[in-house]
DNA sequence: ATGCCGCCAACATGGCGA
């Protein structure tokens, strides 16, 4: 089963690229972030025509997440349990292949947190604490669990072209990275890192300052696996070529396959 | 130091978020 995550930065502005990538990559399950539209405005017919079931948790203008799956989608949860949130940043469901192994899939758009001196940074940390609590609640179920999305966290210096330039950014502050490690240390496997230890495995390049041609990227989109999912991990990758497409998102898809 | 992009309200462009 191929499972992917992609911050599309507006599904309506990106529809041609999104459909093109789906036809090329043929993921079984994909989580989208920053769909930037209400549920009723989501182009579900286009995705259903490619054979996907669709569940959305939309929001006008900002945020919004969605799950597409070739297999039935069951037990959908919208919003991070136990966390009061006015922003649509989390959708979770069970993907249940007929006659196959089910997975629980969480699609998240973790707050950016900048500027650090504003209320946005404590909101990010509170959100990360609630995510921690959710994963702590799910791990005892001993399911194949994939917690995927735009984490807005650069885990290590190997995940950023210029660590010094990002030292005071909410995506890379020691406090942010400590919260990331607390989550990972629950026993989650970073699928991209488990399959590729090389530095420079970026998933995001800013539109500004020629970041893409200069390869000034960061790795902030992650697929985190429970032990039961990690045991099934066969491969993982980043579709970086998508960044050069016409009207590209500033993020590219990341994916893994489970046996 | 700055460089982009998409959204909205509302008609031209400024504010917001990233």
């Amino acid at each position: 089963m191929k499972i992917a995550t992609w911050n599309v930065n507006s599904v309506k502005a990106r529809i041609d690229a999104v459909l093109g990538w789906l036809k090329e990559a043929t993921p079984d399950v994909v989580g989208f972030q920053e769909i930037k539209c209400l549920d009723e405005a989501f182009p579900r017919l286009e995705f259903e025509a490619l054979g996907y079931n669709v569940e959305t948790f939309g929001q006008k203008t900002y945020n919004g997440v969605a799950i597409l799956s070739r297999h039935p989608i069951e037990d959908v949860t919208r919003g991070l349990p136990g966390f009061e949130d006015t922003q649509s940043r989390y959708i979770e469901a069970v993907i249940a292949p007929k006659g196959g192994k089910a997975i629980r899939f969480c699609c998240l758009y973790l707050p950016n947190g900048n500027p650090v001196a504003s209320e946005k940074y404590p909101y990010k940390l509170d959100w990360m604490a609630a995510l921690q609590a959710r994963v702590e609640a799910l791990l005892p179920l001993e399911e194949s669990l994939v917690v995927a999305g735009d984490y807005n966290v650069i885990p290590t210096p190997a995940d950023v072209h210029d660590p010094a330039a990002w030292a005071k950014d909410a995506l890379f502050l020691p406090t942010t990275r400590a919260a990331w490690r607390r989550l990972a240390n629950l026993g989650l496997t970073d699928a991209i890192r488990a399959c590729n230890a090389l530095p420079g495995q970026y998933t995001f390049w800013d539109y500004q300052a020629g970041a893409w041609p200069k390869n000034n990227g960061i790795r902030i989109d992650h697929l985190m696996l429970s032990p039961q999912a990690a045991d099934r991990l066969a491969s993982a990758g980043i579709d970086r070529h998508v960044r050069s497409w016409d009207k590209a998102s500033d993020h590219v898809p990341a994916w893994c396959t489970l046996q």
Side-chain angles (χ1 to χ4, degrees):
Chain A
M1 186 185 299
K2 183 174 185 179
I3 302 164
T5 177
W6 190 11
N7 180 324
V8 295
N9 186 13
S10 172
V11 72
K12 286 186 282 184
R14 212 70 62 206
I15 187 64
D16 291 342
V18 172
L19 293 172
W21 174 77
L22 286 172
K23 290 172 186 170
E24 169 189 292
T26 64
D28 297 288
V29 182
V30 56
F32 289 143
Q33 302 88 40
E34 285 206 87
I35 63 173
K36 292 188 175 180
C37 66
L38 295 169
D39 294 335
E40 53 267 37
F42 191 79
R44 72 164 46 236
L45 292 178
E46 286 89 330
F47 298 125
E48 288 172 349
L50 294 181
Y52 288 100
N53 300 297
V54 176
E55 295 288 344
T56 61
F57 184 38
Q59 186 174 345
K60 196 174 182 180
T61 311
Y62 305 122
N63 312 306
V65 287
I67 296 175
L68 274 58
S69 170
R70 294 186 181 277
H71 305 294
I73 305 175
E74 301 176 350
D75 298 335
V76 179
T77 299
R78 290 173 175 82
L80 191 47
F83 186 73
E84 287 292 325
D85 202 346
T86 59
Q87 305 185 17
S88 299
R89 294 181 172 274
Y90 184 91
I91 185 169
E92 174 188 319
V94 172
I95 308 299
K98 292 184 177 65
K101 299 175 186 172
I103 65 157
R104 184 178 296 269
F105 182 68
C106 308
C107 169
L108 64 89
Y109 176 43
L110 206 148
N112 177 289
N114 285 304
V116 172
S118 74
E119 74 291 347
K120 294 178 189 303
Y121 192 59
Y123 171 61
K124 176 178 192 143
L125 296 179
D126 290 346
W127 210 98
M128 293 184 82
L131 178 62
Q132 178 97 10
R134 182 57 180 165
V135 172
E136 286 175 349
L138 291 176
L139 283 175
L141 301 178
E142 300 188 354
E143 299 171 325
S144 288
L145 169 69
V146 179
V147 186
D150 176 1
Y151 279 72
N152 270 314
V153 174
I154 302 166
T156 75
D159 300 309
V160 50
H161 69 283
D162 184 358
W166 289 81
K168 295 180 179 177
D169 193 281
L171 280 61
F172 195 52
L173 279 179
T175 304
T176 304
R177 293 163 57 195
W180 162 268
R181 286 193 299 272
R182 279 196 296 277
L183 182 67
N185 289 343
L186 293 173
L188 299 180
T189 295
D190 180 337
I192 296 293
R193 272 291 172 242
C195 293
N196 186 346
L198 294 173
Q201 305 302 302
Y202 306 139
T203 64
F204 170 93
W205 297 260
D206 201 293
Y207 290 119
Q208 299 186 72
W212 168 242
K214 289 191 276 193
N215 196 29
N216 286 347
I218 54 178
R219 189 174 75 96
I220 56 174
D221 300 272
H222 309 297
L223 300 128
M224 302 299 283
L225 312 183
S226 71
Q228 293 76 17
D231 284 346
R232 296 168 54 186
L233 179 62
S235 64
I238 297 165
D239 288 346
R240 65 177 283 143
H241 65 285
V242 171
R243 186 62 179 80
S244 68
W245 287 1
D246 191 43
K247 285 182 67 78
S249 171
D250 40 8
H251 296 250
V252 296
W255 53 268
C256 69
T257 61
L258 304 184
Q259 291 172 339

